[in-house]
Amino acid sequence: MQNKNSNWDNKQFLESSEIAGYFYNVPIMDGMSGSRIVHNGKETINFAGINVLGLQEDKKFIDMFCENARQYGLATGGSRMTQGVCRPHVLLEQKMSQIFASEYTLTFGSGALANLGFVNGMTAFFAFDDNNKIDNRDVVFVLDRDCHWSLWNPVSKLKYGSQVYAFKHNNPESLEQVLSKIKSHKIIVVFETVYSCDGSVAPIAQLLDVCERYGVLSYVDDANGFMIYGTPNRPFYEDYQALSKATFIMVSFSKAIGIEGGAISGPEGFVKSLEILSGTSLFTATMQPPTAATNLEIINYLQDNPQIIDNYLKRCLQLREILIERNFKINSTPSYINSIFIGSDEVAEQVRREFLEMGYCVPVFRYPAIKRNQAVIRLMLNNQHTASDVNGFIIALEKMRSRYNF
Ligand SMILES: Cc1ncc(COP(=O)(O)O)c(C=O)c1O
């Protein structure tokens, strides 16, 4: 009898991808993810973590998490539609609505679940009965071409060229051109504030102006900018001011906040309907109660102590200046994300491995995260890195460049 697995290519795909260097057996991390990680017993200086402020390692937040776990328990126990919503989630949602001056906020298990759920909800065709139904099948999505997987993936089930369009990255004229051709009454423009691969920042004000002129809804994914940008003394202030014109703002709590979860803020009628229509609120788990509570504690803490991010941003810019001074090819936008261009995917993988041997974990972004042979080291400083961590890394980087010529 034929082996039932023989029609499937998964094992062979995995094995050949591993041989070609696309995939590797990921190491086991012991202890916490922060400025350092322990891989199979060996401590490594970590530039690959996304929770860049390092607050997830801070004892006071770990203690708060434990206290909240004692008070609210370890689990929500199921969907809010069936048994109610936990107090910490409500408090966090109220805080988010206050921050964005929005009518309503709904939290999700992660930022990706918020994005997937948004597209599900806004394209829904659903009826409780003949009198209580919704038909959003005529919606049209217009996305920045460089949007995150969690935005492109759910729209990929819609027909490109009639229900989904792309505009050129960060390009308001291109958005306008696309919008001028669409004849639908239900259009949603989707873009991000800060793009994590290349650290570019959207011309938020201009993009939202175009949306306003065309009378369309806008959904702005602020996963990478939330709590980092927005105050007058920080870069991109004017664009961040314009964010209040967005119909919806989505955030992830896994970046600056450093814990986990996601949220969408916006008009009550729309966002509340996502409790039913998104699917990722009703049919899957959300943040655990102590996670929601700790997210809120950290937001309050960062608001009370703005110098933490001010100083962090200063350090990121200093690192950027050093990279420029030493003639590394880096991204053009001076955001907190510095991307060092390597080019060849093969070289990038080699560089990643050699950095690891030298005691540095660096995130190499290459195909499929970005175009083939446009690989970069996506460098995000962790606020807990010491000056000597950074100096050591730059020396290692220079060695690597002279070996591989990038
Ligand atoms: C722009 C953007 N949106 C959404 C997400 C997903 O967020 P989360 O990690 O909370 O699922 C990410 C994470 O990489 C992101 O960069």
Side-chain angles (χ1 to χ4, degrees):
M1 205 175 65
Q2 209 192 0
N3 176 347
K4 67 179 184 300
N5 295 344
S6 65
N7 293 330
W8 298 85
D9 291 335
N10 299 56
K11 189 163 183 277
Q12 181 254 323
F13 164 74
L14 212 58
E15 284 167 359
S16 64
S17 304
E18 199 168 339
I19 291 166
Y22 291 115
F23 177 76
Y24 52 90
N25 261 331
V26 292
I28 295 168
M29 290 196 313
D30 284 309
M32 296 183 201
S33 158
S35 63
R36 281 163 173 68
I37 36 175
V38 176
H39 275 163
N40 302 332
K42 184 183 168 201
E43 187 174 270
T44 305
I45 296 171
N46 183 26
F47 284 91
I50 54 171
N51 27 18
V52 288
L53 298 176
L55 299 172
Q56 71 284 358
E57 290 183 281
D58 189 319
K59 184 177 175 311
K60 68 176 164 300
F61 294 117
I62 295 172
D63 287 346
M64 282 178 193
F65 185 96
C66 295
E67 275 163 36
N68 279 292
R70 274 186 209 98
Q71 187 172 354
Y72 296 108
L74 290 173
T76 58
S79 132
R80 62 174 74 197
M81 293 295 290
T82 52
Q83 57 144 29
V85 51
C86 295
R87 175 71 58 194
H89 294 76
V90 176
L91 296 176
L92 177 61
E93 288 169 1
Q94 284 170 349
K95 180 75 188 183
M96 296 305 296
S97 295
Q98 187 202 336
I99 289 176
F100 291 126
S102 293
E103 285 173 16
Y104 198 79
T105 297
L106 182 63
T107 50
F108 294 83
S110 71
L113 286 173
N115 284 344
L116 294 165
F118 179 77
V119 177
N120 276 341
M122 298 306 279
T123 52
F125 172 51
F126 174 72
F128 283 116
D129 58 33
D130 281 351
N131 298 322
N132 300 287
K133 57 187 176 187
I134 186 157
D135 187 353
N136 276 340
R137 285 176 299 175
D138 50 349
V139 70
V140 176
F141 276 93
V142 183
L143 273 71
D144 183 295
R145 152 180 104 178
D146 286 2
C147 274
H148 191 256
W149 173 91
S150 57
L151 293 163
W152 271 113
N153 178 272
V155 298
S156 65
K157 67 185 178 202
L158 307 173
K159 195 159 181 273
Y160 193 85
S162 66
Q163 268 203 287
V164 185
Y165 294 82
F167 65 95
K168 287 187 194 150
H169 179 51
N170 281 346
N171 188 324
E173 291 81 32
S174 169
L175 172 62
E176 179 140 23
Q177 260 173 18
V178 173
L179 287 178
S180 67
K181 289 187 198 130
I182 304 173
K183 305 225 167 355
S184 166
H185 298 299
K186 285 187 184 167
I187 300 175
I188 306 176
V189 169
V190 179
F191 63 91
E192 297 177 24
T193 51
V194 182
Y195 288 79
S196 66
C197 285
D198 66 357
S200 61
V201 177
I204 303 170
Q206 290 180 57
L207 292 171
L208 292 176
D209 272 353
V210 177
C211 293
E212 240 174 37
R213 254 186 292 124
Y214 280 80
V216 301
L217 305 189
S218 50
Y219 180 84
V220 184
D221 175 332
D222 192 28
N224 297 304
F226 177 56
M227 293 308 290
I228 302 254
Y229 296 122
T231 61
N233 60 329
R234 296 186 194 151
F236 317 113
Y237 174 60
E238 278 171 23
D239 275 303
Y240 263 82
Q241 281 275 78
L243 203 51
S244 60
K245 289 196 212 158
T247 321
F248 303 97
I249 304 173
M250 169 271 173
V251 304
S252 161
F253 299 115
S254 64
K255 312 278 176 131
I257 306 304
I259 314 296
E260 261 144 27
I264 298 173
S265 302
E268 182 166 356
F270 282 115
V271 181
K272 210 167 184 176
S273 74
L274 295 177
E275 289 186 18
I276 305 164
L277 300 173
S278 68
T280 55
S281 181
L282 191 57
F283 295 117
T284 185
T286 184
M287 286 173 267
Q288 294 170 288
T291 303
T294 312
N295 282 333
L296 177 58
E297 304 271 15
I298 293 179
I299 292 170
N300 286 331
Y301 175 75
L302 289 174
Q303 282 187 325
D304 293 343
N305 297 279
Q307 75 284 358
I308 292 174
I309 296 174
D310 292 340
N311 292 337
Y312 173 69
L313 289 176
K314 256 185 226 147
R315 292 187 69 198
C316 296
L317 283 180
Q318 278 161 4
L319 173 60
R320 183 176 171 82
E321 275 158 25
I322 295 173
L323 294 171
I324 292 173
E325 203 180 278
R326 310 228 173 150
N327 287 322
F328 283 100
K329 288 178 218 149
I330 61 168
N331 54 322
S332 55
T333 312
S335 63
Y336 70 99
I337 299 172
N338 290 305
S339 283
I340 302 160
F341 185 77
I342 297 181
S344 154
D345 287 344
E346 211 177 308
V347 168
E349 173 57 14
Q350 197 60 29
V351 165
R352 187 192 66 76
R353 284 177 199 214
E354 286 187 32
F355 260 123
L356 213 49
E357 277 161 27
M358 292 163 88
Y360 298 95
C361 181
V362 298
V364 163
F365 275 32
R366 58 183 186 140
Y367 183 79
I370 43 183
K371 285 187 198 138
R372 283 184 202 280
N373 296 316
Q374 299 286 316
V376 296
I377 298 174
R378 197 280 306 273
L379 194 61
M380 295 200 298
L381 193 67
N382 184 299
N383 207 24
Q384 312 304 318
H385 282 138
T386 63
S388 89
D389 292 341
V390 179
N391 292 340
F393 169 75
I394 290 169
I395 293 168
L397 186 64
E398 290 200 300
K399 271 193 202 144
M400 213 66 87
R401 173 173 63 182
S402 50
R403 192 169 312 153
Y404 290 107
N405 211 6
F406 52 83

